[in-house]
């Protein structure tokens, strides 16, 4: 059973560019979560999605950030016009229907230069 | 007051001892509680979850929950150097799917 997959594992972007982070949940999982982790800090909830629906995006910055989980394909976290403060590890987690246990992918390390 | 609070540590215990990690939370509506282990540079790994008051044991790990005191703990018996990591307490806010993580407690197990 493949676990949660994320790509790319490392992403370097210049200020002002766009970053697209992808997440494929575990087989059978229909819920996807995105988190951001700054160095030496805890995980910060960003958004929770089910297929074709954003359920809770209360942790997403109001501008430049968006997320989707289409009917087909991976979930995408999109950051437009990146700034240095966006540099962080972004983790995706998935969970089976009707449970709260989350299983994490390896993360994408975003560096903004 | 932080929504989920943990002592940042580091907590240092000798090999073979019991490590005790503690966590308090502020939302009385929370129903689901989790412990994750995170090695440096790696992603969090779910090691325990508990939904009811009392103790839940899985191998060397025991999770304890006291909803009246808004307190959850993790005991690691027979600690091994490989247990050295940061342990994250996580709580579902208001009984829903949004999960709030504590900042983590760093554990060092000395050989």
């Amino acid at each position: 059973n493949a676990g949660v997959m994320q790509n790319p594992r490392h992403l370097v972007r210049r200020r002002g560019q766009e970053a697209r982070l992808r997440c494929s949940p575990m087989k059978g999982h229909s819920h996807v979560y995105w988190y951001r982790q700054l160095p030496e800090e805890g995980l910060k909830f960003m958004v929770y999605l089910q297929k074709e629906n954003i359920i809770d995006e209360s942790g997403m910055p109001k501008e430049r950030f968006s997320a989707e989980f289409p009917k087909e394909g991976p979930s995408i976290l999109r950051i437009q016009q990146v700034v240095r403060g966006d540099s962080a590890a972004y983790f995706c987690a998935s969970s089976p229907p009707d449970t709260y246990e989350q299983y994490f992918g390896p993360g994408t390390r975003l560096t903004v230069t | 007051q932080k929504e989920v609070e943990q002592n940042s540590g580091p907590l240092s215990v000798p090999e073979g001892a019991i490590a005790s990690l503690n966590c308090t939370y502020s939302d009385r509506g929370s129903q689901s509680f989790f412990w994750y282990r995170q090695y440096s540079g790696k992603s969090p790994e779910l090691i325990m979850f508990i939904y009811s008051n009392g103790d839940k044991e899985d191998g060397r790990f025991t999770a304890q929950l006291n909803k009246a005191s808004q307190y959850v703990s993790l005991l690691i018996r027979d600690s091994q150097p490989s247990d050295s990591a940061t342990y994250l307490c996580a709580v579902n806010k208001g009984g829903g799917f949004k999960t709030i993580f504590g900042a983590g407690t760093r554990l060092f197990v000395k050989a």
Side-chain angles (χ1 to χ4, degrees):
Chain A
N1 258 347
V4 179
M5 293 190 290
Q6 290 188 250
N7 65 80
R9 296 290 301 275
H10 299 274
L11 181 62
V12 179
R13 284 287 178 266
R14 290 200 176 103
R15 279 179 296 171
Q17 291 184 320
E18 179 179 285
R20 280 184 178 240
L21 288 61
R22 288 177 291 278
C23 169
S24 295
M26 289 177 69
K27 187 176 181 179
H29 287 195
S30 55
H31 302 178
V32 166
Y33 305 75
W34 285 94
Y35 294 89
R36 177 164 63 179
Q37 187 173 40
L38 294 168
E40 305 302 321
E41 291 189 15
L43 286 162
K44 301 298 183 188
F45 170 85
M46 299 181 75
V47 61
Y48 160 57
L49 311 101
Q50 296 178 11
K51 283 281 187 183
E52 299 185 280
N53 283 304
I54 298 174
I55 307 302
D56 186 334
E57 58 180 347
S58 58
M60 289 276 273
K62 292 289 185 277
E63 298 177 350
R64 303 189 297 108
F65 285 73
S66 62
E68 62 177 7
F69 188 15
K71 186 176 180 181
E72 302 291 338
S75 176
I76 306 287
L77 179 67
R78 181 182 179 205
I79 311 172
Q80 294 179 289
Q81 298 175 330
V82 296
V83 301
R84 288 222 172 103
D86 297 332
S87 295
Y90 291 83
F91 290 100
C92 165
S94 71
S95 66
D98 301 322
T99 73
Y100 299 101
E101 299 102 57
Q102 296 173 40
Y103 299 88
F104 281 78
T108 294
R109 271 75 178 170
L110 172 66
T111 302
V112 179
T113 61
Chain B
Q1 183 188 8
K2 290 183 180 177
E3 292 181 278
V4 179
E5 294 210 55
Q6 296 181 252
N7 188 325
S8 63
L11 173 66
S12 185
V13 300
E15 184 175 0
I18 296 175
S20 178
L21 304 160
N22 304 315
C23 172
T24 58
Y25 60 95
S26 61
D27 184 354
R28 285 198 169 274
S30 298
Q31 299 292 327
S32 308
F33 307 87
F34 307 89
W35 285 99
Y36 289 84
R37 176 175 63 197
Q38 187 174 26
Y39 293 111
S40 181
K42 302 296 185 182
S43 59
E45 174 191 6
L46 178 65
I47 53 173
M48 288 289 287
F49 58 89
I50 186 167
Y51 298 153
S52 304
N53 275 330
D55 295 0
K56 179 181 178 183
E57 186 175 317
D58 184 0
R60 295 186 296 114
F61 299 101
T62 298
Q64 299 174 316
L65 174 61
N66 183 328
K67 289 184 180 179
S69 300
Q70 295 174 248
Y71 175 90
V72 58
S73 65
L74 179 70
L75 300 177
I76 307 174
R77 288 181 300 281
D78 187 25
S79 295
Q80 301 297 310
S82 58
D83 295 327
S84 298
T86 297
Y87 288 80
L88 304 172
C89 173
V91 175
N92 274 48
K93 187 174 175 62
F97 284 94
K98 181 176 180 178
T99 306
I100 306 299
F101 281 77
T105 297
R106 285 182 296 162
L107 172 67
F108 291 106
V109 180
K110 299 173 293 186

